[in-house]
Amino acid sequence: MNNQNPIPPIPPQVPPPIPPVMPASGPRSLGDDPAERAAIPNIIVAIEAILRQPRRVMFQLRQPGAGWLIAAMLFVSVLCSLMYGVVAGTFSGGTQLWAAPVKIAAGLMISALICLPSLYIFTCLGGSQARLVEVSGLLAGLLMLMTILLIGFAPVAWIFSQSTESLAWMGTLHLIFWFIATVFGLRFLETGFSHSNARSLTGFRTWVVIFMLVALQMTTALRPILGTSKTFLPTEKKFFVAHWGDCLKGHDEASKSESQ
Amino acid sequence: MRHQNQNRSDGPVKIVPAIEHNPAPRLRDRQSVRLGSLGVFLRARPERLREWMLCRQLNLMVLCAVAIVIGAGIYGAVMGSWRGPWQALYTGIKLPLAILLTTLGNGLLNGMLAPLLGINLTFRQSLSAVLMSFAVASVVLGALSPVAWFVVWNTPPLTAAMRLSSPEYGVMQLTLAGFLALAGVVGNAHLLPLLSEWARSVSTARKVLFAWLVGNLFLGSQICWVLRPFIWDPSRPVEFIGREYFHGSFFETVFEAARRLIFQ
């Protein structure tokens, strides 16, 4: 039979293209980027890396021989905190020019050492696979980032130190700078732990509160850092809230006597 | 169609599904269930903890007991150090002792409550589970010991002017008690997923955990009452345990204090 309307040829079935495999949602694995795998050869590169390529620092802390990097970060932390301490000491001058840097550097290191065991335990409980060396390295990274940022605030702190005689105001200003620097440092630490297969960061966040309180109390335990005193360390023990209250009361009384 | 009659009776073949009640996990190679270090214990997921409870019970109980003695012992020593070295020694012994006595004292009760409320645990398994939660709490206390020591160091020393109502003593007491409460919460939070894994039901696990908590708190508070003081008793010299501590109870004292507060 003649077919007046021939059926058009059916084109060959082309299978649909296979979509590219999308990476699973969540943070990229450390070391994915080749730049992160580049070793950190010296202190200058370490400082650059923690500011611009924090993931590179986190990756290098997992490699064998991370001890050198940890020591370098601690050295930078001590150096930067000594430098910031000199700026803080210029408020009162005299013995504070050496006492303030020593107290700030020592206080920072001792606070970190006091809080290191609880950091390791809380992160283990959260499921983090980070070993003690890596946890120590991340804590050293926090200290380094914190103190580098404090150096950034140092010129501002120095100008105010030369302009005002108010101990309460200068104390508040230094605390604000310290708080901002600590927030950035803690952000580095939290990112580091988020790459360690932690199931939960609740324990870490609890540790953050403990760390902040210990650091605040350390400033009171090692007082005076800004003011003057006959002794290097205080003879009376106080908690930081009581000390701040006394400072503010002293500031109010001084203002009242000036106005009278 | 021919029916295959497996039991040689004339009726149809009944296929009865196998019901597994808390089937034991496959006993894998012993290497994979090693307890290993403290970090391994703390990071372990509920399935791994359950395997250890089934395959490595004695090792697990020994590890937990050692963790309690060391972790709670160090924290207890820090608590007592404010009063003096002898109080540090006594509290370093009393705190782990209170934990272990509470666990053993309630061992039978906890072992009975678990199956009654829906989790098929043996007495030894329930003892292991409770020991594990106390071990986690003790490890947390041990880790917080440097912080606690720092708080104690910052508290003005004991003088003739110091009273129980002094604010500095109050801050130290609250902080030390707060750390104990935090460690307890962490320990119990670690136990709940294990019980849920065992019971295959979160609500059943919560019921059992709540029942164990009530029992442990009830007995534990009285044991602590008997073993007090842990920090300081202004009316007594430093001693391990005094004869008058066996008079009265924690709950009677709380009831009397509440009665005086409300009705005076």
Side-chain angles (χ1 to χ4, degrees), chain B residues 43-118:
Chain B
R43 289 186 198 104
R45 297 194 67 93
E47 308 81 42
R48 179 58 59 89
L49 289 173
R50 192 173 168 213
E51 279 185 33
W52 287 337
M53 279 173 65
L54 291 167
C55 311
R56 292 273 181 181
Q57 201 172 76
L58 187 61
N59 287 7
L60 184 64
M61 287 169 82
V62 167
L63 173 72
C64 291
V66 168
I68 289 169
V69 167
I70 294 176
I74 294 173
Y75 190 81
V78 166
M79 279 173 79
S81 63
W82 180 74
R83 177 75 163 94
W86 281 108
Q87 187 68 60
L89 175 67
Y90 293 152
T91 310
I93 296 171
K94 285 198 282 191
L95 189 60
L97 189 63
I99 293 174
L100 291 171
L101 286 175
T102 304
T103 309
L104 291 171
N106 268 344
L108 200 63
L109 177 67
N110 290 340
M112 289 190 289
L113 283 174
L116 282 173
L117 292 171

Side-chain angles (χ1 to χ4, degrees), chain B residues 145-224:
Chain B
S145 296
V147 184
W149 171 83
F150 184 60
V151 171
V152 168
W153 184 75
N154 275 285
T155 306
L158 184 59
T159 59
M162 183 65 72
R163 298 280 178 269
L164 284 172
S165 55
S166 300
E168 300 84 7
Y169 176 73
V171 170
M172 182 188 69
Q173 201 182 25
L174 269 174
T175 308
L176 294 175
F179 285 163
L180 281 164
L182 175 66
V185 167
V186 171
N188 285 294
H190 216 67
L191 186 56
L192 184 61
L194 170 63
L195 294 178
S196 304
E197 162 74 14
W198 209 291
R200 305 276 191 241
S201 158
V202 175
S203 63
T204 307
R206 281 199 183 127
K207 269 191 287 189
V208 171
L209 181 61
F210 181 73
W212 284 359
L213 268 177
V214 169
N216 289 343
L217 280 170
F218 194 74
L219 178 63
S221 49
Q222 184 56 23
I223 289 177
C224 289

